[in-house]
């Protein structure tokens, strides 16, 4: 009920629900402007990949207990090179995912496509940051256009509607 037909993300949310990427926050709400946690985004990616079983049960993270709804997704994401966690021993599954992190997860999920020759249209990116190549790829691949013509907002929290939009455009 909180995804209006004319919202830019309406078809993206419908796709995510139809494909099982997410079911929303309850039976009738998606919460498009709500925060999306790191546990949620790797779970969305894991589901989009077909919920592959991680080949290892060795868990390097003290904050990812066995049996949680995101445990297999986190282990798969680490094993697949999508993330290393926030530190060597913490993943921070309940922390809000930033726009820089989301496009980096997607870029790694896509196999780190080459971005040589891609233009940097934003004034808030630094070439030495972990997300730099991922942002250039996401813009070049038309996954995102940024939050304005010259701003990407890599440190801003990524909303649930933005994340499923990025996923939809990538998939």
């Amino acid at each position: 009920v909180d995804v209006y037909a004319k919202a830019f993300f309406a078809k993206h949310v419908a796709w995510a629900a139809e494909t099982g990427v997410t079911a929303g926050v309850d039976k009738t709400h998606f919460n498009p402007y709500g925060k999306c946690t790191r546990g949620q985004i790797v779970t969305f990616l894991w589901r989009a990949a077909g919920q592959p079983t991680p080949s290892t049960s060795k868990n390097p993270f003290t904050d990812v207990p066995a049996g949680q709804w995101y445990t297999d997704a986190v282990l798969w994401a680490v094993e697949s090179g999508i993330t290393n966690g926030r530190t060597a021993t913490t993943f921070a599954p309940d922390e809000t995912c930033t726009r820089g992190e989301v496009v980096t997860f997607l870029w790694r999920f896509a196999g780190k496509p080459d971005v040589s020759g891609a233009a940097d249209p934003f004034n808030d990116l630094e070439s030495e940051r972990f997300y730099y190549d991922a942002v250039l790829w996401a813009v070049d691949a038309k996954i995102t256009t940024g939050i304005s013509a010259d701003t990407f907002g890599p440190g801003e929290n990524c909303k649930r509607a933005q994340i499923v939009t990025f996923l939809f455009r990538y998939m």
Side-chain angles (χ1 to χ4, degrees):
V1 297
D2 59 351
V3 178
Y4 304 103
K6 293 188 183 207
F8 78 89
F9 51 80
K11 72 178 179 180
H12 312 140
V13 172
W15 165 82
E18 289 167 8
T19 60
V21 167
T22 184
V25 296
D26 65 34
K27 290 183 180 191
T28 60
H29 295 90
F30 178 72
N31 192 17
Y33 301 107
K35 72 175 188 169
C36 194
T37 66
R38 291 170 47 83
Q40 289 171 338
I41 185 57
V42 296
T43 300
F44 292 174
L45 288 169
W46 176 68
R47 290 175 181 160
Q51 300 182 14
T53 303
S55 62
T56 182
S57 60
K58 184 178 182 216
N59 182 349
F61 303 121
T62 58
D63 59 351
V64 178
Q68 295 297 309
W69 55 268
Y70 53 77
T71 303
D72 283 349
V74 170
L75 296 178
W76 165 81
V78 170
E79 189 173 278
S80 301
I82 293 169
T83 184
N84 297 321
R86 284 269 169 94
T87 70
T89 59
T90 61
F91 179 74
D94 298 322
E95 288 187 23
T96 303
C97 205
T98 67
R99 290 172 52 82
E101 288 175 314
V102 170
V103 296
T104 300
F105 290 173
L106 279 171
W107 177 65
R108 291 173 181 163
F109 181 70
K112 298 182 181 179
D114 181 32
V115 295
S116 58
D120 177 356
F122 303 120
N123 60 22
D124 63 344
L125 297 182
E126 299 170 23
S127 61
E128 64 278 353
R129 299 297 300 209
F130 71 89
Y131 51 73
Y132 186 76
D133 286 349
V135 172
L136 297 185
W137 165 78
V139 170
D140 191 55
K142 306 214 181 326
I143 291 168
T144 184
T145 57
I147 58 174
S148 75
D150 61 359
T151 306
F152 179 72
E156 289 193 17
N157 293 338
C158 203
K159 307 292 186 220
R160 290 173 52 84
Q162 292 171 327
I163 286 177
V164 295
T165 296
F166 292 173
L167 272 170
F168 175 84
R169 290 175 179 165
Y170 169 72
M171 299 301 282

